[in-house]
Amino acid sequence: MATNPSSLRLQVTPSAAPTECSELSFQGLYLFHTPLGPKANQALIIDGKGPIGATAVNNWTVCDGPGPDAKVVARAQGLHIQAGNWLNSFSLVFENEGFSGSTLQVMGITVEAGEWAIVGGTGQFAMATGVITKKFHEQRSDGNIIELAIRAFCPLLKGTRVQHPVTKIGTWGGSGGNPMDITEAPKRLESITVRSGPGVVAAIAFSYVDHAGQKHAAGPWGGSGGQPHTVQLGESEVVTQLSGTVAGFGGIAAVVTSIKFVTNLGTHGPWGEEKGTPFAVPVQPGGGVVGFFARSGIYLDAIGVYVRPSEL
């Protein structure tokens, strides 16, 4: 007997398709794939007897660097099944900064190379679609480390409040020192202080406002040498470019030797000495640098930035 469509509790409402979206671009993430040893982060739950059927669950950690002092950014929680290739299906659950609790839903084959598809998301990544590009980084006795780059788009539905998520880019410099970062996602820079001496950038400090309107101070990251240079940003002033150079100094293989900031109102620096390999941070028109992360010891070993996309 045919079903009367009018009796079904289903409804389709005409609606304009989303015309705006936020773009996610996360670089420099490292997945620790550790199937062996006391710190194993996956376990076999079905031992397939043939070429297919084996099933394992995973709680892989994703960190902001490949070293032992790297901070956990997210965890890849799900399973992978042997079906000719290892088919992965998991939630990438973010733990830090302004994305805590938000997830990306990920599917694809193999761990070491190629791409995974982002087929959905929750929280700040609701309805995300995109790809995660994978590149083998290091083989270890208990597993391996995979470098990840995430690019995705999240539609802004009608009535959605735009939060303008920030993108973390970098670092530029050496691998010495200790990792330094902020705990709240930045919305606007208020000030920057650079200490520099002959031939090197000694330290950086800055203040910023987060998305809840709270003010924060970070740093100084680095040593106490050199002379301070402070940039106090106006309410409408935005850092549109950061550039500098990297070279060996004082027996250290690579540190930041000079740094310069350009805002929509003027140029500050360069401070230090422009020698070595140059770098420059690309910022899309309408966007801006809103915060920093770094590696530092007695000098500023490396610098990275938080970039706000253009206002939608």
Side-chain angles (χ1 to χ4, degrees):
M1 183 176 67
T3 302
N4 181 359
S6 63
S7 67
L8 298 178
R9 291 180 172 269
L10 303 177
Q11 182 176 355
V12 177
T13 303
S15 176
T19 58
E20 298 179 323
C21 66
S22 294
E23 180 178 357
L24 311 179
S25 180
F26 300 158
Q27 308 289 327
L29 298 178
Y30 294 84
L31 184 147
F32 286 71
H33 176 226
T34 311
L36 304 173
K39 295 184 179 180
N41 55 21
Q42 71 175 54
L44 188 69
I45 57 173
I46 299 176
D47 187 2
K49 301 302 182 182
I52 62 174
T55 303
V57 294
N58 50 271
N59 187 22
W60 301 321
T61 52
V62 177
C63 301
D64 62 2
D69 54 355
K71 294 171 63 176
V72 176
V73 174
R75 298 182 189 273
Q77 300 172 332
L79 54 83
H80 47 289
I81 301 169
Q82 178 56 259
N85 283 303
W86 281 102
L87 173 64
N88 301 274
S89 178
F90 60 86
S91 295
L92 188 59
V93 184
F94 284 78
E95 294 189 356
N96 76 334
E97 299 158 7
F99 305 129
S100 180
S102 296
T103 70
L104 293 173
Q105 309 305 313
V106 182
M107 295 186 70
I109 60 173
T110 72
V111 174
E112 291 80 6
E115 293 180 335
W116 281 323
I118 298 171
V119 297
T122 65
Q124 293 195 45
F125 309 141
M127 299 177 66
T129 56
V131 294
I132 299 178
T133 303
K134 301 165 287 175
K135 183 172 67 175
F136 182 83
H137 178 75
E138 179 185 347
Q139 183 67 52
R140 306 190 307 173
S141 60
D142 57 355
N144 49 38
I145 301 176
I146 310 300
E147 184 177 357
L148 306 180
I150 299 174
R151 188 180 185 195
F153 296 88
C154 304
L156 296 175
L157 302 179
K158 199 171 183 179
T160 300
R161 182 171 63 91
V162 179
Q163 296 188 15
H164 302 297
V166 292
T167 300
K168 198 174 182 180
I169 305 175
T171 58
W172 294 268
S175 59
N178 297 309
M180 301 293 174
D181 208 343
I182 55 180
T183 57
E184 299 295 332
K187 182 178 181 181
R188 183 175 65 84
L189 267 174
E190 287 197 323
S191 69
I192 308 167
T193 298
V194 173
R195 296 190 70 91
S196 66
V200 71
V201 175
I204 189 170
F206 60 99
S207 62
Y208 69 96
V209 177
D210 66 19
H211 288 266
Q214 299 298 310
K215 296 184 178 182
H216 302 268
W221 296 336
S224 58
Q227 297 297 315
H229 312 275
T230 298
V231 179
Q232 190 69 44
L233 300 172
E235 286 285 338
S236 60
E237 192 170 9
V238 178
V239 175
T240 58
Q241 183 183 19
L242 178 148
S243 60
T245 52
V246 174
F249 184 85
I252 301 175
V255 297
V256 179
T257 53
S258 73
I259 197 166
K260 179 174 72 174
F261 303 94
V262 177
T263 77
N264 56 327
L265 300 180
T267 298
H268 306 275
W271 297 305
E273 183 178 346
E274 292 182 293
K275 63 177 182 179
T277 304
F279 68 87
V281 179
V283 178
Q284 295 179 351
V289 174
V290 292
F292 306 95
F293 61 104
R295 297 190 67 89
S296 66
I298 59 175
Y299 306 116
L300 182 63
D301 292 82
I303 187 74
V305 297
Y306 288 91
V307 174
R308 182 201 69 201
S310 58
E311 298 291 335
L312 298 175

